[in-house]
Amino acid sequence: MLPSASPRSPRSANAMVESLMKGTGFGQPRSRRSQRLRLWLPVAISFVIQVPPTIASVLWVEPSLLVGIATVTLAVLGPVLLIWVRRYPGPIVAILSVAGAADFLLGYSWTTPPYLALAFAVVIAISHGARTWTWVSMIVAWEGTLLAALLAGVALEPPRVVATTVGLLLVLGFAEANRRRLENFVQFQKAFTDRREQELREERVRIARELHDVLAHSLSQINVQAGVGLHLMHKQPEQAEAALASIKSSSKDALDEVRSLLGMLRNEDAAAGEFDSDAVPPVPEPDLSRLESLAASVRTQGLTVILSNDVPEQTPTAVQLALFRIAQESLTNVVRHAAATAATVTLVIDGHDYVATIADNGVGIDTDGHTAGRGLLGMRERAELLGGTLRVAEAKPRGTVVTARIPRRSASA
């Protein structure tokens, strides 16, 4: 089908990927419920793990009133400050590092719960770009804790010092790994977006090329046949009638192809291969079997066309479409610009290449390049997209030769 059968069309792949993304939530804005959950879940977890056990520990150990109040206050301070850690990640992680150090010294015991709020703050701060704040705060706070314990005469058991050090390193390591994962995720999203935009640009170029080839050829035929009909209307009515019939046939074919293309563009489900009941039926893409009808339509415009096609029917669809469109555009240029009386279209297999040659006996090409328009650009793009080349040169003694080569190996890959 005109837009979807081409192997270069990215619409089906994009539709499948976007459908999967919608189902998984990938690439979609986070809901307000999800944002609230991400905000309050660390607060709730750190509060449950820190505050009740700390209160129980204070009641069990029965320290001085001032130490007990300070210990419970520090335990509550951690979860409260987590509320603002995403807005002020650097300062919050620095404050919580000092609070964690004070909690470690004041309530130093094997039964004292870990200062979990600091772990959450470290992960969140690093993921929000406050790496320097986090590393400096953690290093200074831990070294200050050990120095303060030494100066204050607090006896620290080596196993707990080692366990706390390892715990802090594990938290930092997890935070860095999480940061790299998020960065890779963002890079993947950007790469996906760039690739999708590139594919959409290529798709727009492909559609423009298809429309140009269809309309340029058909309108050229209609213009010539209309001129013939007007000229012969009174002298040879039967030939004028044939010219009008050719106009009707050419316009119908062009309208069918354009309507099919535009109908697919309007259809939301066209990319997935599903069509509404009111959609325009798709028109099959042209292949080399339509070369004879192409030559016949050009002959009706007074041009002698000799056609020779030795390319087999088993040739890949993309190659057949490219060769047909190159031949169509070349003959259209011959009719419109060459003032030729005869043209030859030859398609052969030359070694490892498909070769299409279109020659005429017209006025030749403009050596200054003024006649090189979108038609020539479209032909060259069609050949190059399949790994081939297109060459336009003057023929001897007069005329123009268009030669397109498409590798057989790359076309079948």
Side-chain angles (χ1 to χ4, degrees):
M1 289 173 286
L2 191 58
S4 59
S6 172
R8 298 182 299 276
S9 176
R11 290 186 173 271
S12 297
N14 277 342
M16 293 173 62
V17 171
E18 290 174 359
S19 175
L20 179 61
M21 287 168 59
K22 290 178 181 178
T24 58
F26 175 82
Q28 304 298 321
R30 291 189 178 95
S31 65
R32 305 187 78 178
R33 181 178 179 182
S34 174
Q35 290 177 343
R36 288 196 298 267
L37 182 64
R38 294 175 64 250
L39 171 63
W40 292 106
L41 187 60
V43 175
I45 292 176
S46 60
F47 184 88
V48 170
I49 292 179
Q50 286 181 197
V51 177
T54 299
I55 294 175
S57 177
V58 169
L59 294 176
W60 178 265
V61 177
E62 296 183 354
S64 65
L65 180 61
L66 184 60
V67 172
I69 293 175
T71 303
V72 174
T73 301
L74 290 171
V76 175
L77 181 65
V80 172
L81 290 179
L82 281 180
I83 299 174
W84 295 281
V85 70
R86 288 174 175 81
R87 183 174 297 180
Y88 310 106
I92 295 297
V93 79
I95 295 172
L96 287 180
S97 297
V98 175
D103 179 80
F104 182 84
L105 292 174
L106 291 176
Y108 181 71
S109 170
W110 283 102
T111 61
T112 302
Y115 206 74
L116 192 61
L118 178 59
F120 281 119
V122 168
V123 175
I124 295 172
I126 287 183
S127 67
H128 282 69
R131 295 181 67 202
T132 302
W133 275 89
T134 303
W135 280 94
V136 171
S137 299
M138 294 289 286
I139 292 173
V140 171
W142 184 232
E143 290 184 351
T145 301
L146 298 178
L147 180 61
L150 179 63
L151 296 177
V154 179
L156 301 179
E157 293 88 351
R160 188 168 187 196
V161 173
V162 173
T164 303
T165 304
V166 172
L168 293 176
L169 292 176
L170 288 176
V171 170
L172 288 168
F174 175 81
E176 290 291 344
N178 183 66
R179 178 188 62 84
R180 286 193 295 270
R181 181 186 67 83
L182 293 177
E183 289 179 350
N184 292 336
F185 180 77
V186 171
Q187 291 175 0
F188 176 79
Q189 280 188 310
K190 183 179 183 302
F192 176 84
T193 302
D194 293 344
R195 180 178 178 182
R196 184 175 183 274
E197 291 178 352
Q198 180 182 358
E199 289 177 341
L200 290 176
R201 287 194 297 270
E202 292 174 353
E203 182 72 357
R204 286 194 292 268
V205 171
R206 191 188 72 83
I207 292 171
R209 188 165 54 241
E210 292 291 336
L211 284 173
H212 175 274
D213 290 348
V214 171
L215 294 178
H217 176 72
S218 300
L219 293 178
S220 176
Q221 284 186 304
I222 291 171
N223 179 64
V224 172
Q225 293 296 334
V228 172
L230 288 173
H231 181 70
L232 299 177
M233 182 176 295
H234 300 293
K235 298 180 180 179
Q236 296 176 306
E238 65 283 355
Q239 293 191 17
E241 182 179 354
L244 291 175
S246 177
I247 290 175
K248 180 180 179 181
S249 176
S250 299
S251 61
K252 180 181 182 301
D253 292 341
L255 284 174
D256 287 343
E257 290 194 63
V258 172
R259 288 180 61 210
S260 176
L261 177 60
L262 296 180
M264 289 182 182
L265 292 177
R266 287 193 299 266
N267 190 351
E268 290 289 337
D269 299 324
E274 301 174 1
F275 297 90
D276 295 335
S277 57
D278 297 333
V280 179
V283 177
E285 284 187 328
D287 55 24
L288 296 182
S289 64
R290 293 177 56 178
L291 278 176
E292 189 58 51
S293 62
L294 172 65
S297 67
V298 176
R299 292 188 187 108
T300 62
Q301 302 177 60
L303 184 70
T304 301
V305 180
I306 301 174
L307 174 63
S308 175
N309 179 20
D310 294 331
V311 175
E313 296 180 357
Q314 295 77 18
T315 301
T317 304
V319 177
Q320 293 197 50
L321 174 63
L323 294 177
F324 177 84
R325 291 301 193 196
I326 290 172
Q328 181 185 53
E329 179 64 25
S330 297
L331 290 176
T332 299
N333 289 336
V334 171
V335 172
R336 294 176 60 187
H337 307 298
T341 58
T344 302
V345 179
T346 306
L347 283 81
V348 298
I349 295 178
D350 182 14
H352 298 289
D353 297 333
Y354 299 100
V355 181
T357 305
I358 302 91
D360 66 76
N361 62 352
V363 297
I365 61 173
D366 184 355
T367 56
D368 294 331
H370 297 306
T371 60
R374 294 194 177 276
L376 180 59
L377 177 63
M379 290 192 293
R380 179 167 286 110
E381 287 177 347
R382 288 185 183 278
E384 291 177 350
L385 283 172
L386 294 173
T389 59
L390 184 113
R391 181 173 178 268
V392 181
E394 291 189 2
K396 300 298 183 180
R398 57 177 299 186
T400 304
V401 179
V402 177
T403 305
R405 285 183 170 270
I406 298 177
R408 295 174 64 188
R409 181 170 55 186
S410 65
S412 61

